[in-house]
Amino acid sequence: MNVVWLRRDFRLSNNPALYYACKNKDAQVLALYCLSIKQWSTHQVGDNQQSLILKQAIEFRKELKKLNIPLLIVKADFAQTPRTLDSVLKKLECRELFFNMEYPLDERIRDRRVVENVKHRVKVHRFATDSILPPWEIVNNSGEGYKVFTPFSKAVKFRLRDKPMFIYPQPGKLCRGNFTKGIAEIESFKFDEKLEVIDKLPLVQPTAREMPEVNCHQAKRRLENFCEMRLKSYQDTRDFPFLNSTSGVSTALAIGSISAGECYLTAEESANELASKWLTELVWRDFYRSVIWHFPDICKYKAFNHVDEKIQWNQSGEELDKFYRGETGIPIIDAAIRQLVDTGWMHNRLRMVVASYFTKNLWADWRLGHEFFAKHLFDYDFASNIGGWQWCSSVGTDAAPYFRVFNPQSQQAKFDPNAKFIKQWLPSLSHYSDKQIHAFDKQELDNYSICNVDLKESRKLSIEKFKLAKARAF
Ligand SMILES: Cc1cc2nc3c(=O)[nH]c(=O)nc-3n(C[C@H](O)[C@H](O)[C@H](O)COP(=O)(O)OP(=O)(O)OC[C@H]3O[C@@H](n4cnc5c(N)ncnc54)[C@H](O)[C@@H]3O)c2cc1C
């Protein structure tokens, strides 16, 4: 019996754990998923992403059934997982365990404990496909993880030219699960008194209006559609939030219904040099994975740059509450927050503008911003989110310089010149001209909040405070 331990990798294609578990045509294969709702709360995963993962688990169970592979779902938080896995593997007389690695610290500790616990009984096979290349393979000349993006990106691209990627095919094409016990029988199997096998998944309601369609087939179609229709113009159009110009694959990547390797290869094959900008963006995802792998203290919500320890960030206040409600009186910020709350996604340009305003104009703690995004984003990804927030607040690896403070007013005039995006999310402003909307600080807009934050003054103050903190840190 081979057991595939699933995590954020509900996909058939480029899933080496599933591929190798099924490779031996005579082996019986069982998939196992440990549901850790408690862990999700500790890790700040919001209702949107929780509901999406649960939906994908159900859909993937159907996919696996077609291959004659039962998916057993058991309840176990990270601390219980070693014991739970041991119990299941023992009962099933499993010989080999297969799983794809996850890189954040708690996940690494959990996996180490599981392996310690079961290695006397089963052969364990681990794979790395949560990034284009495994983070430990991309290191500088001293064997350390990169702290700066450009050399990291060059090293990744150089490696890929040198050694092309292999995409593991769907297991169905090679062999079948061959489970003689019968799927219904194994799904309702009672392993031991303390083990909670789940037949019906708990229902978590999303807070967004709609759930994205991201099972492994939909994710693949989305990627192919993007490569065919929008990839070639991505470089010129990617920064405008009123256009549907980006790929929208982040949610599928976050829950693992598509792999970064497959995204990279598909885009490269479909557009060559014109895919370059998009490929670089995808490499940012690998970069932040590499950062948490090589500098795991970041997983404890510590900033990469120690200046952070000398900064007294704001933890609460009226302006912060207005931010969370999307009532700052700055149209582009409020529209972005409405997009986030309503759809569970926010355009990348706006994530940067919003995070800069939050940390540099409101001087609010980037950890709170990270938490707010995690609560709403369907594509919440620990490494990218913490990386993005530390970048914007100038306390991360290769972060924006502290004196770079986005001006939301010029950002909105530049990236939403006709106020199309703003009017979509703030319909009460639809009768104003774009000029009036961009001059929100000079006149009152009816039925709209007044901005009480002096953008110029708060920018100046932020730079001064940061300078002071830097001086105290060294
Ligand atoms: C403050 C902040 C928080 C963020 N939080 C997250 C998060 O929780 N989850 C998440 O997936 N991305 C996050 N990002 C990165 C980026 O905004 C999203 O990946 C992107 O908007 C997703 O849309 P897309 O798939 O259409 O992207 P595309 O523009 O089509 O890019 C393709 C892929 O490249 C990767 N990518 C692009 N930009 C970045 C980036 N700056 N950092 C890391 N990967 C990137 C993503 O996997 C993305 O799906 C954050 C950025 C900032 C500034």
Side-chain angles (χ1 to χ4, degrees):
M1 160 80 68
N2 290 342
V3 170
V4 191
W5 176 19
L6 294 172
R7 298 91 178 283
R8 286 175 179 245
D9 50 3
F10 294 124
R11 63 175 179 270
L12 298 172
S13 173
N14 206 24
N15 186 334
L18 186 64
Y19 172 86
Y20 280 111
C22 297
K23 201 157 185 250
N24 175 355
K25 288 194 173 69
D26 300 322
Q28 293 180 350
V29 181
L30 173 104
L32 176 74
Y33 181 72
C34 296
L35 182 63
S36 325
I37 300 243
K38 189 171 143 201
Q39 210 70 45
W40 280 344
S41 305
T42 320
H43 286 172
Q44 304 182 335
V45 179
D47 289 350
N48 281 339
Q49 197 178 66
Q50 288 194 20
S51 63
L52 190 67
I53 294 175
L54 293 170
K55 183 169 174 249
Q56 293 315 308
I58 297 167
E59 292 198 14
F60 202 57
R61 183 180 254 178
K62 290 182 195 149
E63 287 298 331
L64 291 174
K65 212 168 199 164
K66 292 183 204 155
L67 302 174
N68 204 21
I69 300 172
L71 169 58
L72 184 73
I73 300 175
V74 294
K75 205 167 156 192
D77 62 31
F78 282 16
Q80 297 162 327
T81 305
R83 196 191 146 271
T84 302
L85 248 95
D86 196 32
S87 166
V88 173
L89 299 181
K90 196 163 146 192
K91 191 85 184 179
L92 292 170
E93 293 170 16
C94 161
R95 297 247 185 85
E96 302 191 42
L97 174 69
F98 300 77
F99 65 85
N100 298 315
M101 295 167 75
E102 293 181 305
Y103 309 140
L105 187 59
D106 286 349
E107 282 77 354
R108 277 158 73 178
I109 294 172
R110 173 202 59 192
D111 291 354
R112 209 166 41 229
R113 288 187 180 144
V114 165
V115 175
E116 278 303 309
N117 228 24
V118 303
K119 69 177 186 208
H120 61 283
R121 199 191 320 280
V122 301
K123 201 166 168 200
V124 180
H125 307 268
R126 281 173 279 196
F127 306 93
T129 44
D130 189 35
S131 45
I132 303 161
L133 292 169
W136 51 90
E137 285 189 10
I138 306 297
V139 288
N140 63 19
N141 290 338
S142 327
E144 293 162 352
Y146 283 95
K147 297 171 190 163
V148 179
F149 175 71
T150 306
F152 174 85
S153 171
K154 277 189 185 149
V156 168
K157 290 183 178 176
F158 185 76
R159 264 293 305 279
L160 290 171
R161 265 196 298 273
D162 212 26
K163 190 177 156 213
M165 234 180 308
F166 174 70
I167 300 296
Y168 297 89
Q170 299 193 4
K173 293 188 180 148
L174 292 164
C175 80
R176 301 185 79 78
N178 187 27
F179 204 88
T180 48
K181 263 200 163 70
I183 288 182
E185 192 185 338
I186 197 74
E187 279 175 358
S188 59
F189 205 65
K190 293 280 169 274
F191 287 90
D192 85 29
E193 294 296 298
K194 289 182 198 126
L195 192 72
E196 214 175 318
V197 178
I198 301 187
D199 302 324
K200 219 170 159 203
L201 288 171
L203 209 63
V204 177
Q205 286 301 334
T207 50
R209 203 169 18 91
E210 271 179 44
M211 280 236 242
E213 308 265 284
V214 285
N215 72 31
C216 53
H217 305 296
Q218 291 158 337
K220 214 173 181 138
R221 271 204 299 281
R222 185 184 287 265
L223 171 70
E224 285 166 357
N225 185 280
F226 168 73
C227 289
E228 198 185 316
M229 315 286 289
R230 308 193 299 278
L231 175 57
K232 289 185 181 136
S233 54
Y234 176 80
Q235 173 144 11
D236 301 325
T237 55
R238 60 189 281 265
D239 272 320
F240 300 103
F242 57 90
L243 296 175
N244 172 25
S245 57
T246 67
S247 68
V249 294
S250 54
T251 301
L253 281 167
I255 60 158
S257 58
I258 201 159
S259 68
E262 190 159 2
C263 288
Y264 195 96
L265 211 64
T266 310
E268 194 178 44
E269 281 172 359
S270 68
N272 282 319
E273 281 99 71
L274 286 173
S276 159
K277 184 67 194 163
W278 193 75
L279 296 178
T280 304
E281 291 306 303
L282 199 60
V283 175
W284 270 103
R285 182 178 179 275
D286 264 40
F287 177 62
Y288 287 136
R289 273 164 167 61
S290 162
V291 169
I292 61 162
W293 178 267
H294 292 285
F295 309 102
D297 262 4
I298 290 176
C299 300
K300 299 174 189 160
Y301 297 93
K302 289 194 177 153
F304 182 79
N305 187 333
H306 295 296
V307 173
D308 180 65
E309 289 152 30
K310 303 288 172 198
I311 296 176
Q312 294 267 313
W313 299 106
N314 289 332
Q315 302 296 328
S316 59
E318 201 186 324
E319 291 308 323
L320 251 159
D321 292 341
K322 284 194 206 160
F323 172 92
Y324 296 134
R325 294 198 303 268
E327 292 173 6
T328 62
I330 303 171
I332 197 68
I333 305 264
D334 295 340
I337 299 293
R338 307 276 166 103
Q339 179 183 43
L340 174 68
V341 173
D342 197 66
T343 68
W345 187 82
M346 191 194 285
H347 188 278
N348 180 60
R349 167 64 41 186
L350 304 181
R351 293 188 206 205
M352 292 194 286
V353 175
V354 157
S356 170
Y357 173 75
F358 189 86
T359 55
K360 291 184 172 168
N361 296 102
L362 300 185
W363 202 244
D365 196 333
W366 57 268
R367 293 167 194 82
L368 295 174
H370 169 87
E371 190 179 352
F372 179 64
F373 270 23
K375 184 177 166 197
H376 291 285
L377 285 172
F378 278 113
D379 73 15
Y380 169 52
D381 174 73
F382 178 77
S384 303
N385 199 43
I386 208 158
W389 277 94
Q390 289 195 5
W391 185 90
C392 292
S393 54
S394 301
V395 297
T397 37
D398 200 10
Y402 70 92
F403 46 83
R404 186 171 175 210
V405 181
F406 281 76
N407 178 342
Q409 196 162 18
S410 46
Q411 289 285 314
Q412 77 170 41
K414 188 167 175 194
F415 297 109
D416 192 20
N418 302 322
K420 201 170 163 195
F421 178 83
I422 290 172
K423 288 182 182 179
Q424 180 190 346
W425 292 102
L426 303 171
S428 67
L429 297 184
S430 53
H431 59 285
Y432 287 108
S433 71
D434 47 57
K435 278 203 181 67
Q436 287 171 309
I437 293 177
H438 296 322
F440 62 86
D441 57 334
K442 300 214 169 69
Q443 56 167 2
E444 246 179 66
L445 303 171
D446 288 343
N447 300 321
Y448 184 57
S449 331
I450 295 168
C451 174
N452 290 325
V453 174
D454 184 332
L455 295 174
K456 273 201 190 118
E457 197 49 38
S458 54
R459 174 184 185 276
K460 221 172 98 196
L461 216 64
S462 162
I463 296 173
E464 278 164 17
K465 281 195 204 173
F466 213 104
K467 249 192 213 161
L468 217 65
K470 256 171 89 92
R472 276 200 252 121
F474 300 106

